[in-house]
Amino acid sequence: MLLEPINISQLEIPNRFVRSATHEWLAENNGKPTYKLAEMYEELARNEVGLIITGYSYVNPRGKSANNQQGIYTDDFIEPYSQVVSRVHRYNSKIMLQIVHGGRQSLVSKDYPALAPSAVTDEATGITPVEMSESQILQTIEDFANAARRAKAAGFDGVQLHCAHGFLLSNFISPYTNRRTDKWGGSVENRTKIITEIIKRIRGMTLDMDYPITVKLNSTDGFGSDSDKPGLDINDTIQIAKILQQNGVNAIEVSGGIFETHLMSQQNIDSVEKEAYFKKNAKLIKNAVDIPVILVGGVRSKYIMEKIISADNADMISLSRPFICEPDLVAKIKEGISEESQCVSCNLCFDSTGIKCNYFKKSETSTSSLN
């Protein structure tokens, strides 16, 4: 079951395991990938992770969210990324580039304040973004499309649009962060419009209707039913998922939460009951679409992975922290060595000196640039 192949568009993925996009703090200051990134992805490929999704890569310097974050904002990135891809393609794994604009979670300066669909203060940072103009929205669409063109030129097997976790595209789909009254706000269709326009431009720019475009999608902002905030709910997300499929998205990874609600990367996943905290939302979305659904969020054990697929909650299993802890987890499961990850969900791996399992003290390697 977990080791069966599956197609995303015309791309065959050799098994149901996905390495979920994770910020690694391992790019150069200008966003260029490093040898350590290439080594990390190659290690995952060597250990038979079916699909590797890279750390989020910003499509415009104004959309950068963190130090040492990957970028993809000029054609200068094509060659170094092609070296990363070639190392993964020595094996049977596939690799996609996740592309993002930070929105109101971007790094800010006096000259370049954060941009968002509406000027809603981020309660986690205290930053109030500038409401985007029509021309800025149109330029952002072009930035995403050009990023996808570069990813294809570098040899990536597809791209993932980051529409979750409070970054720009999830700012648009959420009524909490999108208070616009023009064609980019209001109805679910209008709030999703920037994403569908990006998809159209990617198709036009790459001249490839089969090139896999996937989406990491917030299924909830995480405020809860008793909140007075008008957050994204699962009913809206189901509609959004249908719209995305109709407009050419080939797979949806279901996640949830924004920085203000602390819903992502939950800690102390120490029982099967705590695993897969977005599985109910994933099942509702899977029931509404005919494209592969990928579930991320606290999955640790083979038992739960198999149950998710057999119960039609999702088609693929996406892991982040377990692969930081054990890059060889898939190989261990395949060989019958392991039934669950050793990961204790401590979040010590999110290390600004470079992502690594600090609980088990993994060793470090080179961070030289790929040029």
Side-chain angles (χ1 to χ4, degrees):
M1 184 184 302
L2 293 170
L3 300 174
E4 293 175 356
I6 187 171
N7 275 33
I8 295 178
S9 186
Q10 303 300 311
L11 178 70
E12 184 177 282
I13 311 298
N15 58 49
R16 304 304 178 94
F17 289 95
V18 180
R19 185 271 192 173
S20 190
T22 307
H23 176 39
E24 300 101 345
W25 289 276
L26 291 174
E28 293 292 316
N29 288 332
N30 62 4
K32 293 282 182 71
T34 62
Y35 279 108
K36 182 155 188 180
L37 274 171
E39 289 168 357
M40 179 180 292
Y41 301 149
E42 183 178 5
E43 185 176 17
L44 292 168
R46 185 169 60 249
N47 284 289
E48 303 183 68
V49 176
L51 174 61
I52 298 162
I53 303 177
T54 70
Y56 63 166
S57 298
Y58 53 97
V59 300
N60 184 301
R62 193 164 176 177
K64 182 178 181 179
S65 296
N67 294 323
N68 300 107
Q69 179 188 353
Q70 291 166 245
I72 186 71
Y73 53 89
T74 72
D75 286 1
D76 292 339
F77 286 80
I78 294 173
E79 175 54 30
Y81 273 125
S82 70
Q83 296 180 47
V84 173
V85 172
S86 67
R87 292 181 68 159
V88 169
H89 283 169
R90 293 172 185 173
Y91 307 92
N92 200 28
S93 298
K94 308 303 181 186
I95 183 168
M96 295 187 183
L97 186 74
Q98 187 186 76
I99 52 179
V100 70
H101 186 294
R104 68 193 193 122
Q105 293 171 178
S106 301
L107 298 177
V108 297
S109 70
K110 292 181 180 179
D111 295 328
Y112 298 105
L115 296 174
S118 301
V120 179
T121 300
D122 187 328
E123 294 180 2
T125 64
I127 292 171
T128 302
V130 172
E131 181 172 307
M132 295 175 74
S133 66
E134 173 85 4
S135 63
Q136 287 171 328
I137 293 172
L138 295 176
Q139 182 59 56
T140 299
I141 292 167
E142 291 300 300
D143 291 340
F144 271 95
N146 272 304
R149 172 185 60 78
R150 295 176 188 120
K152 188 172 189 292
F156 282 100
D157 297 298
V159 292
Q160 183 179 74
L161 308 180
H162 199 341
C163 305
H165 303 168
F167 299 107
L168 183 67
L169 299 185
S170 74
N171 294 163
F172 269 90
I173 63 176
S174 171
Y176 172 59
T177 45
N178 186 346
R179 316 283 177 88
R180 301 178 74 95
T181 57
D182 61 5
K183 66 181 180 180
W184 305 103
S187 67
V188 171
E189 291 79 7
N190 283 2
R191 299 199 313 266
T192 311
K193 186 176 179 64
I194 188 171
I195 307 173
T196 58
E197 290 299 314
I198 287 168
I199 296 164
K200 289 176 187 176
R201 286 297 293 138
I202 290 174
R203 297 296 183 205
M205 205 169 281
T206 63
L207 302 177
D208 188 345
M209 296 303 292
D210 294 323
Y211 189 63
I213 301 173
T214 69
V215 164
K216 189 166 194 172
L217 183 64
N218 251 18
S219 58
T220 174
D221 286 334
F223 288 117
S225 58
D226 58 345
S227 173
D228 59 355
K229 293 183 171 65
L232 182 71
D233 64 25
I234 187 59
N235 294 319
D236 278 4
T237 306
I238 291 168
Q239 291 186 57
I240 291 166
K242 291 179 179 178
I243 292 168
L244 294 178
Q245 177 180 336
Q246 291 165 2
N247 282 272
V249 163
N250 303 116
I252 295 172
E253 182 180 13
V254 178
S255 189
I258 60 177
F259 286 6
E260 285 130 299
T261 61
H262 308 289
L263 192 62
M264 305 97 72
S265 302
Q266 295 181 30
Q267 294 180 263
N268 303 315
I269 310 298
D270 54 8
S271 67
V272 293
E273 289 78 19
K274 294 180 180 179
E275 292 188 48
Y277 33 83
F278 297 120
K279 66 182 178 183
K280 291 182 181 178
N281 288 351
K283 186 173 182 66
L284 291 170
I285 292 169
K286 182 169 166 53
N287 289 343
V289 298
D290 299 317
I291 53 178
V293 170
I294 306 165
L295 175 61
V296 69
V299 183
R300 296 289 177 269
S301 63
K302 180 184 176 184
Y303 166 74
I304 291 297
M305 296 174 195
E306 291 179 336
K307 189 173 181 180
I308 286 166
I309 293 177
S310 64
D312 280 337
N313 289 94
D315 302 286
M316 303 180 76
I317 307 297
S318 197
L319 308 171
S320 171
R321 291 171 290 175
F323 284 142
I324 299 167
C325 178
E326 296 173 273
D328 58 350
L329 181 61
V330 175
K332 287 178 179 176
I333 290 174
K334 182 178 179 180
E335 294 166 12
I337 297 171
S338 179
E339 292 291 315
E340 63 181 0
S341 172
Q342 297 179 63
C343 179
V344 298
S345 307
C346 64
N347 286 355
L348 293 176
C349 51
F350 300 133
D351 183 340
S352 61
T353 66
I355 201 162
K356 53 186 170 292
C357 183
N358 285 309
Y359 187 87
F360 291 107
K361 299 295 183 183
K362 297 292 183 183
S363 62
E364 298 184 29
T365 54
S366 170
T367 56
S368 300
S369 179
L370 289 167
N371 292 308

